[in-house]
Amino acid sequence: MRGNVWAWASALIGAAIVVLIFFYGTEYGTWIDEAGSLRVEPPTFILPFAIGGLGFVLLIGGVIAGSKGMPSAESSDREAKR
């Protein structure tokens, strides 16, 4: 049961990261559009891209683990109680 809760919690954390990175990306794009004519270096996109990728992995992994429900762990608990 706890594994299932943690799986869904990690999926929610991943979803929150993906949403925050999306809003960061819109702000980044707005900054590039407005400062495009300036001779200022734009901020790097590598770190937000890596964080977004990790958030996406958390989201997908949490959904898969949560939807499976870890049946083998629950069945071994039932057998141990007998």
Side-chain angles (χ1 to χ4, degrees):
M1 177 67 180
R2 283 184 289 186
N4 200 13
V5 170
W6 281 112
W8 287 110
S10 67
L12 289 175
I13 291 169
I17 290 171
V18 170
V19 168
L20 289 174
I21 290 295
F22 172 78
F23 285 118
Y24 175 80
T26 57
E27 290 296 319
Y28 178 79
T30 302
W31 186 88
I32 292 293
D33 288 343
E34 291 175 357
S37 60
L38 301 175
R39 298 191 188 270
V40 178
E41 286 274 331
T44 182
F45 67 93
I46 295 172
L47 184 63
F49 183 74
I51 293 171
L54 290 174
F56 189 69
V57 168
L58 270 174
L59 174 64
I60 297 300
V63 167
I64 290 171
S67 63
K68 285 190 175 186
M70 297 186 207
S72 62
E74 292 175 5
S75 64
S76 65
D77 286 341
R78 288 183 197 143
E79 291 175 8
K81 290 180 181 178
R82 288 183 185 176

